Amino acid sequence: MKKNENKDMFKAAWNYAAAPESTDHINLQKQYDLYIDGKFIKPVKGKYFDTINPSNDKKIASVAEATAEDVDLAVKAARKAFKGWANLSGKDRGKYIFRIARLIQERAREFAVIESLDGGKPIRESRDIDIPLAANHFFYYAGWADKLEYAFPNRKPKPLGVVGQIIPWNFPLLMAAWKLAPALATGNTIVLKPAESTPLTALKLAEIINDCGLPKGVVNIVTGAGETGANIVNHPDINKIAFTGSTGVGKYIAKAIAGTDKKVTLELGGKGANIIFEDAAIDQAVEGIVNAIFFNQGHVCCAGSRLFVQESVAGLVIQKLKARMETLIVGDPLDKNTDIGAINSKKQLQTIQNYIKIGLSEGGEIYQPECSLPKEGNWCAPTLFLNVSQSHKIVQEEIFGPVLTVQTFRTINEVIEKANNTPYGLSAGVWTQNGAKIFHLTQRLEAGVIWANTFNKFDATSPFGGYKESGFGREGGLQGLKPYVKFE
Ligand code: NAI
Ligand code: MG
C-alpha cells in the first residue's frame, strides 16, 4: 500500500468517528402504554406524560402514567404468574433469560441510540458499556438459573414471590438488567418501574420480553413518576422492594415498609474518594480521575467525586488534570467524539448549578475549561473545585454531576480518615504502585467497591453495593442472587 492511501484510510475512519450516529431505523412510537400480563394496555385513568430529549428539550414520546389501579393490575398479574414461574425448572427459566440477552444483542444499536436520545449520555458509552453490560447480566444470571443448588449448598433457596423494582435514570437499561436478571433466575415475578425521564429502553425491553415468549405476568413494566413508585412500595401484595436512587427516597421506602414483612434492598447515593499517592503512575491516574468523575456526566452513584492527591505531586496532577479537561468535548450525545453529553433533566441541572453556587459561596476556587456549550438543552462544563475542606457542603453531599472537589493529604492515616468522613460508603479508588498499600486501604476504607489503579469498571460477575447511607444488599455476582431468595 502506498503511503497516501494509508493516510486517506485514516481520514475516512476519522470522519466516520466524527459523524453523529443516525436515528434511521430507530423504531419509536408516538405513545407508549403499560406492559401488564403479557399485553401493552392503556392506563386505567388514561393519563400520559412526556419523555424529553435533554439535549434539545424536545418531546420524544408520550408515556403512560400508571396510577394505583394500574399498579394493582400489574401486581395481580405477577401474583397469578408466580407459581408457574417458580415451579418451572431452572433450566427452562434460564432459557428465557438467555433469549432476552440474545435479543438485546441483536437490537443493540437501537437500544444504544434510544438510551442516548432519552437520557443524554454519549453514544460511545451507551454502545460500548451500557447495552453490552445489560446483555451480559442476562447471560450471566441465565447461567445460574439451573445451578442454584451450587450457589446455596445444603440449603434449598425459594423465591420471595412478587418483587417491586424501582430504578433510576442514570443507567436505564443496565439498571433494569441488574434488577430483572437475578430476580428471574431465582423464580420471582416482577413489577418494574423505570424513571420518568428515561422510560424508553425499559419499554423496548418489554417488547423483547414479549417477543421471547416469557409466560405472561412474569415481568410487568409500569411507567410513571414518584407516585407510581410509592404505589408499588405500598401495595400490600408485594413481597420485596428493590430500589436504586436517591437516599431520600430510600429512607422513605425503609419507613413505608417498616412493620410489614416486605423485604428490601437499597442502592443509594455515594461520594466516592479517589486517592492518588505520590508513587502512582501519574498520567494513568489523571485519565482515571477524568473517567471517575466525568463518565456519564457524573450521574454515577459510585463516581469518584472527591479527589485526594498526596501533597508532593498535587501541583503536577492538578496541572495535568486541567490540561486534560481542556480536551474534553461537551455536546451532542449522538456524536461519537462526545465525552460529556447532556445533563439528564432540567431538574438535575438546577441541582448541579445550585451546588456550584454553594461551592463558590463557601470559598471554593472553581476551574472550568472554556467550552462552547450548545444553546438548547441541558449542559454543564467539566468543573473542578480547589481550596475546599471537609466541612464544605460540596465535599459532603452527592452532586451527581461533572463536578470534582480536590483536596491534598500528607499521610495515609490522614487520607483514610478524610475519605471515610461522609455519610456514604459506596466506592473508592486507590492509585499507587505499592501493592501492600492497596491491601491496607481496602481494609480501612468504608466502601462497598474499591478499585485499584482503575475506576468505574463493572462486570456481571462482581458484586456491587454500599455501606452506611449508600444502602445495603449486593447486585451482581453470586451475592446478587441472595436478595431474591428465602430459606424454609
Ligand atoms: P429519585 O430517587 O427521586 O428517583 C429514582 C427512582 O425512584 C425513580 O424511578 C423515581 O420515579 C422513583 N421515586 C421517586 N419518589 C418515589 C417514592 N416516593 N416512592 C417510590 N419511588 C419513588 O431521584 P431523583 O430525584 O431523580 O434524583 C435526585 C438525586 O438522587 C440525584 O441528584 C442523585 O444525587 C440521587 N440519585 C442517585 C442514584 C443512584 O444511582 N444511586 C440514581 C438517581 C438519583
Ligand atoms: Mg427523557
Side-chain angles (χ1 to χ4, degrees), residues 166-170 193-196 224-227 229-230 233 243-247 249 252-253 267-270 300-301 347-348 351 398-400:
I166 299 168
I167 57 173
W169 41 263
N170 52 343
K193 189 194 88 62
E196 56 273 31
E227 218 179 302
V233 171
F243 172 76
T244 299
S246 62
T247 300
V249 174
Y252 162 81
I253 292 174
E267 204 272 274
L268 309 174
V300 182
C301 49
K347 179 183 145 200
Q348 190 59 31
T351 303
E398 182 175 54
I399 300 173
F400 224 59

Side-chain angles (χ1 to χ4, degrees), residues 383-404:
T383 305
L384 284 190
F385 265 106
L386 303 156
N387 199 22
V388 294
S389 65
Q390 286 300 103
S391 62
H392 284 183
K393 234 181 170 155
I394 55 166
V395 173
Q396 287 293 324
E397 295 181 14
E398 182 175 54
I399 300 173
F400 224 59
V403 181
L404 179 67

